Amino acid sequence: MKHWQLHLLVIPPLLFFLIFKYYPMVNAVLAFKDYNVIKGIWGSPWVGFKNFQLFFENPQFWILVKNTIMLSGYQLLAGFPIPIILALMINEVRGGRFKKFVQLVSFAPYFISTVVMVSIVMLFLAPRLGFVNIALNFFGLDSVNFLGEPGMFRSIYVWSDIWQTAGYSAVVYLAALAGIDPTLYEAAKVDGASRFQKIRHVDLPGIVPTIVIILILNVGNVMAIGFEKVYLLQNPLNLANSEIIATYVYRVGLLNANYSFATAVGLFNSIINLILLFTVNGLAKRITKNSIW
Amino acid sequence: MAATVQKKIKESAGDKAFLFTIYLVLGLVVIAVLYPLIFIISSSISSPAAVTSGRVWLWPVDISFKGFEVLFKTPEIITGYANSIFYTAAGTLISVTLTVMIAYPLSRKGFFGRNTLMMIITFTMIFNGGLIPTYLVVREMNLIDTRWALLIPNAIWVWQVIIARSFFQSSIPDELMEASEIDGCSDMRFIWSVVLPLSKPILAVLVLMYAVGQWNAYFDALIYLKSADLFPLQLVLRSIIIQNNSAGGAMDVGKMVEKQQLSELLKYSLIVVATLPVLVIYPFVQRYFVQGMLVGSVKG
C-alpha cells in the first residue's frame, strides 16, 4: 500500500477509540443483564428489560426526567439567545479598542474550571458571609440561603452558566456576522435603514444558518446536560430539584455499585438524546434547509 | 464625498440613542464579568478579619498575604498543585500527539478508509456507552487509581481532531505531499520536516485547549482516583471549598474565631492560585482560541 506509514500512524488513535469509546458501547449490554462481579459482564445472566422496567416504575423516574428537562430547557431558553444578542451588540461597536476589550473580558470566564466556578457561586451566595447576603442585609433585607432553596437551584445553575459562557458562545456568531456580504449594508444604508432595522433585516438573516446549527446541537444535547456542575452544586437541601439523570446514574451506579441498573438508566438517557438529535436535525433540514448532516 | 453624505444619513437621533444603549449594556456586561473576579482577588489579599466582616467591597482591605502563606504550607495543596502540573504537561503531550497522528492521515485525500475512519470517530460525539460501561473498561485495563486514568481514557477529543484535520486540509496541499513523494520522501519524514513546522498555529491551538481542559478537569479524577496523593488541584479545591473540609488543620492558630476567619480567607486564595495560571496567559493566547473555534466551525 502506498501510504502504509500513515496507516501505521493511525493505529494508536484508532485503538484509543475502539477501547475507550466502542468497547464501553459493547459493555452497555450490561443494561440487559444482572451484573455479578464474579461472573463478569458476559457471564452474568440476561434479564431482558427488567432494569428498564425497574427504572420506569421507580417513583423517582418522573422527578428525574422532569428535573433534567426543566434544567436544560431553562438553560436553552435563557442561554441560547443571550450570546446572539451579545454578538449583535458587539458587532455594532465600531471603535476597535472597546470592541476588543469587551470580547477579551466576556470570553475570560470560560477558562474558569467548573470547580472554581461553583466555588465562586458558593462563596457569593453563602448564607452568612456571602457577598450577596451582606448586600441584601445592607439594604435592610433578610438573608436567603440560596443554595438551600430547591426553587433557586435552576436559576443559579443557568445564570452562572450564562455568566461563564456567553462571551465564548458569542464568538461563533461574531465570525458569522463578519462574513456577511458588505454590499448588503451599503444597500441598507442607501435605503435609509436605521441601525435597528439593519440588525433586523441584514444581520439576523445573515446568521440564521449559524443559529440553526447551534440550536440543533443544543437541543440535541438536552438530555446530556453536564453532570459536573450539577453534581457540585447539589446538597441535601436542594436535591428535590437538582437530582438529574446523570447525577442519579453516578449515585446509584458508582456509589452504590448497582452497575446494571445504572447502565440501563444511562442508556435510556443516551438513546432519548440520540432520537432528539435526529428529530431536531430532520426538522431543521425541512424547515430551514440547514442541518448538521 | 459620497462617504460623508452617507454618514449624515446614518446618524439620526434614534440611531445615536440606540448606539448609546448598546455601549451602556456592554459596559454593564464588562462590569458584571469583572466585578466578581476583582472581588475574589481583592479578598484573597485582604486580612482574614476584613474578609469575614464583609469590609471588602472592591479593593483589598488591610493588605495581607496570610492566605497564600498558609496555602503554601499546606501539604495537600502543594501535592495537588504538583500533580496538576504533571497531568497538564503529560496529558497535553499525549493528547496532542495522538490527535495529530489521526488528524493528519484523515486530511489526505488519498488515504484509504478515510471516510469510514472519520465516521467511526464522529459517531462517538453523538453516542457513548455511558458512565458505568466506561468505568468498567478503565477498571479492566487496571487503570483505576493510577495516574494513567487521567491521561488516557479521555486523551482524544473528537472536536480537536476535526479542527486539526481542517487545518491540515487547507494549509498542507496534497500536491506538496506528492512532490515530496517523487523526491523519495517518506510520509513520516514529510510529517516531521514539513507538516509539523508548517502547523505551528494549529499545534498552539491544540496545546492550549488540551492544557486548559486538563488543568480544569475534575470528573475523571473523582471517579477513577482513590488515593489522595494522586489528586489534582481541582479535587483538593472541591474538598476544601465545596465540601468545606478546612485546609491546614495543623496550623497553630489559637482562637476559634481566627481559625474560622482564616479558613474563609483560604478559599479566596485557593481560587486565585488555581485560576491564575490560566487567566494570566489568557490575554496573550485568546486569539488562538478564537482561531481554533473558527477553524472548527467553518467545517462544522
Side-chain angles (χ1 to χ4, degrees):
Chain A
M1 213 179 305
K2 198 166 122 200
H3 291 298
W4 63 272
Q5 285 189 330
L6 291 186
H7 284 95
L8 214 60
L9 208 56
V10 160
I11 291 173
L14 184 62
L15 278 177
F16 164 84
F17 281 102
L18 293 181
I19 296 173
F20 293 105
K21 303 290 164 188
Y22 280 88
Y23 187 21
M25 291 183 205
V26 177
N27 271 356
V29 296
L30 207 55
F32 306 96
K33 291 191 161 227
D34 195 2
Y35 185 67
N36 181 316
V37 188
I38 300 155
K39 289 180 186 154
I41 294 174
W42 296 103
S44 301
W46 292 94
V47 293
F49 285 89
K50 191 188 115 196
N51 291 312
F52 291 90
Q53 205 181 344
L54 276 177
F55 180 49
F56 298 145
E57 284 167 1
N58 191 320
Q60 279 221 283
F61 173 72
W62 286 111
I63 301 174
L64 290 172
V65 171
K66 189 193 101 191
N67 283 345
T68 307
I69 292 177
M70 294 272 274
L71 186 63
S72 42
Y74 187 173
Q75 161 100 324
L76 193 67
L77 281 178
F80 182 69
I82 287 180
I84 301 175
I85 298 169
L86 185 64
L88 289 172
M89 289 199 298
I90 292 176
N91 193 48
E92 286 305 299
V93 175
R94 289 286 167 257
R97 265 227 183 126
F98 183 64
K99 193 173 183 171
K100 271 201 188 121
F101 180 68
V102 174
Q103 277 189 272
L104 189 77
V105 169
S106 61
F107 199 101
Y110 176 73
F111 294 100
I112 292 173
S113 74
T114 315
V115 174
V116 168
M117 186 64 227
V118 172
S119 302
I120 294 176
V121 168
M122 290 180 95
L123 282 174
F124 272 70
L125 299 180
R128 217 161 40 84
L129 301 169
F131 174 84
V132 176
N133 274 319
I134 291 176
L136 282 180
N137 293 341
F138 181 80
F139 292 109
L141 296 163
D142 288 333
S143 300
V144 180
N145 181 8
F146 292 96
L147 284 159
E149 293 277 341
M152 296 274 187
F153 173 78
R154 288 182 195 126
S155 296
I156 294 172
Y157 179 93
V158 169
W159 290 100
S160 61
D161 206 67
I162 290 171
W163 181 81
Q164 196 178 5
T165 60
Y168 167 83
S169 312
V171 172
V172 177
Y173 299 114
L174 278 168
L177 284 167
I180 293 176
D181 184 359
T183 56
L184 290 175
Y185 290 111
E186 281 159 29
K189 239 185 250 170
V190 172
D191 288 345
S194 71
R195 271 181 185 273
F196 183 74
Q197 284 170 323
K198 191 211 72 188
I199 291 179
R200 169 72 187 76
H201 296 286
V202 181
D203 287 352
L204 261 183
I207 59 172
V208 159
T210 313
I211 293 179
V212 172
I213 286 173
I214 305 276
L215 186 64
I216 297 173
L217 291 173
N218 283 350
V219 176
N221 270 322
V222 157
M223 299 297 278
I225 189 153
F227 163 94
E228 303 203 353
K229 197 169 147 197
V230 176
Y231 181 69
L232 292 177
L233 280 170
Q234 269 182 353
N235 61 49
L237 293 175
N238 64 23
L239 214 54
N241 279 4
S242 64
E243 184 79 310
I244 60 169
I245 295 178
T247 54
Y248 183 72
V249 169
Y250 173 73
R251 208 179 300 279
V252 177
L254 283 187
L255 298 185
N256 302 341
N258 200 344
Y259 291 161
S260 293
F261 179 67
T263 305
V265 177
L267 196 62
F268 163 78
N269 200 26
S270 305
I271 288 172
I272 297 283
N273 209 36
L274 201 62
I275 294 172
L276 261 174
L277 188 63
F278 275 93
T279 314
V280 180
N281 192 53
L283 278 178
K285 209 177 203 166
R286 218 177 263 171
I287 301 169
T288 67
K289 308 264 183 295
N290 294 298
S291 65
I292 49 175
W293 65 76
Chain B
M1 204 185 83
T4 55
V5 172
Q6 278 178 2
K7 221 168 209 164
K8 263 177 207 154
I9 295 171
K10 205 175 70 181
E11 290 299 319
S12 70
D15 270 357
K16 270 186 191 155
F18 186 63
L19 196 60
F20 177 76
T21 317
I22 284 177
Y23 274 85
L24 193 70
V25 174
L26 288 178
L28 290 176
V29 168
V30 167
I31 292 171
V33 171
L34 279 184
Y35 183 73
L37 300 177
I38 294 173
F39 180 83
I40 285 161
I41 295 171
S42 295
S43 296
S44 75
I45 51 173
S46 297
S47 75
V51 171
T52 41
S53 60
R55 278 191 286 137
V56 181
W57 280 96
L58 181 64
W59 302 119
V61 176
D62 308 333
I63 292 188
S64 105
F65 294 93
K66 193 117 204 251
F68 295 103
E69 272 169 40
V70 176
L71 276 193
F72 289 112
K73 283 183 200 141
T74 312
E76 56 203 296
I77 290 164
I78 303 295
T79 319
Y81 220 90
N83 283 339
S84 275
I85 292 173
F86 169 76
Y87 291 131
T88 305
T92 306
L93 184 69
I94 294 174
S95 297
V96 172
T97 312
L98 286 173
T99 303
V100 171
M101 281 165 77
I102 192 160
Y104 174 71
L106 279 175
S107 75
R108 296 302 96 185
K109 282 205 189 71
F111 181 69
F112 177 77
R114 169 176 126 132
N115 290 335
T116 319
L117 193 58
M118 197 62 203
M119 252 159 63
I120 290 176
I121 70 164
T122 42
F123 181 68
T124 65
M125 275 179 120
I126 59 169
F127 191 76
N128 63 68
L131 177 69
I132 307 294
T134 310
Y135 177 85
L136 292 177
V137 169
V138 174
R139 199 176 67 177
E140 205 180 325
M141 303 255 118
N142 289 320
L143 297 180
I144 299 291
D145 210 23
T146 67
R147 288 183 191 273
W148 294 108
L150 300 199
L151 305 175
I152 304 295
N154 274 314
I156 306 180
W157 302 352
V158 177
W159 190 239
Q160 305 281 76
V161 176
I162 295 175
I163 291 174
R165 172 175 163 265
S166 339
F167 179 90
F168 291 137
Q169 240 161 17
S170 56
S171 26
I172 317 279
D174 279 308
E175 292 76 31
L176 196 60
M177 188 179 74
E178 281 152 22
S180 66
E181 251 166 50
I182 293 166
D183 292 341
C185 176
S186 73
D187 279 322
M188 286 298 187
R189 192 155 159 231
F190 181 72
I191 292 174
W192 190 252
S193 41
V194 179
V195 177
L196 291 181
L198 284 176
S199 306
K200 279 182 192 138
I202 196 66
L203 292 178
V205 170
L206 294 180
V207 166
L208 288 168
M209 301 245 200
Y210 278 126
V212 171
Q214 187 67 253
W215 180 264
N216 283 344
Y218 90 93
F219 183 60
D220 284 356
L222 175 75
I223 57 176
Y224 297 138
L225 297 184
K226 294 187 185 77
S227 328
D229 56 329
L230 298 180
F231 285 177
L233 188 61
Q234 302 293 335
L235 217 52
V236 179
L237 221 65
R238 165 178 173 260
S239 148
I240 294 174
I241 307 181
I242 298 174
Q243 300 181 313
N244 216 0
N245 300 325
S246 54
M251 32 181 197
D252 47 326
V253 183
K255 287 178 231 147
M256 201 57 200
V257 183
E258 260 181 67
K259 198 164 180 173
Q260 227 174 18
Q261 287 179 341
L262 194 57
S263 83
E264 203 53 31
L265 172 71
L266 274 181
K267 295 177 179 175
Y268 290 97
S269 321
L270 247 180
I271 290 180
V272 171
V273 165
T275 314
L276 219 56
V278 182
L279 283 190
V280 162
I281 56 162
Y282 159 67
F284 303 100
V285 298
Q286 187 217 13
R287 79 191 163 92
Y288 291 108
F289 277 98
V290 174
Q291 265 173 19
M293 284 178 67
L294 300 186
V295 174
S297 61
V298 169
K299 263 282 159 192

